[in-house]
Amino acid sequence: PRLLPPPPASLVARGPRFAPAAARALRSPVPFAAAPAAAATDTAAAREALFAAIADFRAAEEAEGKTSVDFGVKGGELDKKSRAPADLRQVWTGRVREAARAVESAIDTLAPLNPTPDATKLLGTVEGDLCPLHGAWRNVWTTAADASFSPNSTRGDANVYNVVDGTRSRITNHIDFASGAQFWVLLRATA
């Protein structure tokens, strides 16, 4: 079977909790190899374009400064009216906003090429470890203020990732702060 090439090293999930990409692909009940060869080429190109767009976004943030998000409504983490996580697209400007639009366009291009039509298949069953979402997933890009961290804020910089337990139908959101502190949120998922 042919697997997608790994993403650039700067976007690879790191840490002891992450299974190698090849192992995750082998656990999936709908492997990438099941797609036709032409679709594989299209998917690989779209995936590469997405990671390039994310790299451009990060470069724009580096050049213009990463948006500082602090706790609560006053810190910009939560929307003033709904108390839901604030949407950073509302505060990004200039090159960062344009780079964000390019990321979203790349996501829109890649989405129809998804070889896994039912990502929640087997979630919450005894065979849940075969669920395509089972395992650790690193957050490489988001517009949600509550999942965005920067060194120039009170909260500090952090790595954000999720661990999906397909058998138990649980998702744990992990926030590992640069200070060494950790924050976990346990959620129950349904398909």
Side-chain angles (χ1 to χ4, degrees), residues 130-141:
L130 297 175
C131 174
L133 292 176
H134 182 80
W137 297 84
R138 180 156 184 208
N139 180 359
V140 294
W141 190 79

Side-chain angles (χ1 to χ4, degrees), residues 30-107:
V30 183
F32 177 78
T41 302
D42 292 346
T43 302
R47 184 172 185 261
E48 187 175 313
L50 173 59
F51 284 125
I54 292 170
D56 288 347
F57 175 82
R58 288 183 178 168
E61 274 192 321
E62 179 93 13
E64 293 192 8
K66 189 169 184 177
T67 302
S68 178
V69 177
D70 268 312
F71 297 107
V73 171
K74 287 184 180 178
E77 177 186 35
L78 303 175
D79 181 79
K80 291 175 184 171
K81 293 179 183 172
S82 69
R83 300 288 199 243
D87 184 347
L88 291 174
R89 289 175 290 196
Q90 304 302 315
V91 296
W92 287 330
T93 60
R95 187 173 161 208
V96 174
R97 178 181 282 174
E98 289 307 311
R101 288 181 180 144
V103 171
E104 290 179 331
S105 176
I107 290 168

Side-chain angles (χ1 to χ4, degrees), residues 165-189:
D165 181 337
T167 305
R168 293 181 177 173
S169 197
R170 283 199 260 182
I171 300 170
T172 307
N173 294 337
H174 291 253
I175 302 171
D176 293 344
F177 290 94
S179 67
Q182 293 182 320
F183 183 69
W184 295 0
V185 177
L186 183 63
L187 307 167
R188 172 85 44 205

Side-chain angles (χ1 to χ4, degrees), residues 103-181:
V103 171
E104 290 179 331
S105 176
I107 290 168
D108 290 343
T109 299
L110 184 59
L113 302 173
N114 179 2
T116 310
D118 184 3
T120 59
K121 182 177 182 179
L122 303 176
L123 182 69
T125 69
V126 294
E127 298 163 320
D129 61 339
L130 297 175
C131 174
L133 292 176
H134 182 80
W137 297 84
R138 180 156 184 208
N139 180 359
V140 294
W141 190 79
T142 185
T143 62
D146 68 331
S148 299
F149 298 87
S150 62
N152 61 343
S153 68
T154 305
R155 300 185 314 176
D157 209 2
N159 289 316
V160 180
Y161 58 98
N162 309 95
V163 177
V164 177
D165 181 337
T167 305
R168 293 181 177 173
S169 197
R170 283 199 260 182
I171 300 170
T172 307
N173 294 337
H174 291 253
I175 302 171
D176 293 344
F177 290 94
S179 67

